[in-house]
Amino acid sequence: MIWTGFQFAIGLMLARTKTIKTVLIGGEIEANDEAAFGLDAMEIVRKYRVDLAFIGAGGISDDGDFTDYTRIAAEQRALMLKSGQKAYVLADRTKFSRRTPVVIDVAAQQMTGLITDALPKDDPAAKSAKRRWPVILAHA
């Protein structure tokens, strides 16, 4: 698994599991995301192929596109999706119809599914996402 930023605690936990190879990627820390982004991080991501990739998104458009606040974050997330044999986007209910400016380039064959806590009712982004991607509802 490849992890960036705030997932450091999760990375440490996974590193203690003998059957999981864990790589933490450095880069410039984005305070809003508490994640590492940048050209250095993207160069490292290009060198790996992983079984599972989990990425976040800044928003989900009314068309069901995943979006982010900056181009560098969107491009890095797209690279991470491409690196995974199976790839999931993690987005809680607050991301639906959130307007963030940069589309994360995701081809349908790259996406295994969208994992969320809930699909907001009567929300155009939730309806579009459900039509475009397999949706998995996470329960606590």
Side-chain angles (χ1 to χ4, degrees), residues 17-35:
T17 305
K18 296 189 186 318
T19 58
I20 297 174
K21 174 72 172 172
T22 303
V23 177
L24 294 174
I25 294 176
E28 298 174 33
I29 303 298
E30 172 58 46
N32 291 333
D33 286 327
E34 296 182 344

Side-chain angles (χ1 to χ4, degrees), residues 34-122:
E34 296 182 344
F37 294 107
L39 297 175
D40 294 331
M42 290 171 60
E43 184 62 31
I44 294 168
V45 170
R46 284 186 185 94
K47 295 180 185 296
Y48 287 90
R49 296 291 170 255
V50 298
D51 295 328
L52 291 169
F54 296 96
I55 71 155
I60 302 172
S61 75
D62 288 350
D63 295 329
D65 289 324
F66 301 110
T67 62
D68 219 321
Y69 292 95
T70 66
R71 182 174 170 201
I72 197 82
E75 288 186 21
Q76 183 171 318
R77 293 181 197 277
L79 279 174
M80 293 174 78
L81 283 169
K82 289 176 187 172
S83 76
Q85 186 174 2
K86 291 184 177 182
Y88 296 90
V89 172
L90 309 172
D92 68 28
R93 71 184 84 186
T94 67
K95 305 298 173 134
F96 291 92
S97 293
R98 179 177 287 176
R99 297 183 58 86
T100 54
V102 186
V103 174
I104 299 170
D105 184 24
V106 180
Q109 69 271 18
Q110 293 172 267
M111 277 290 296
T112 306
L114 164 64
I115 301 173
T116 186
D117 61 334
L119 289 170
K121 293 183 193 277
D122 300 321

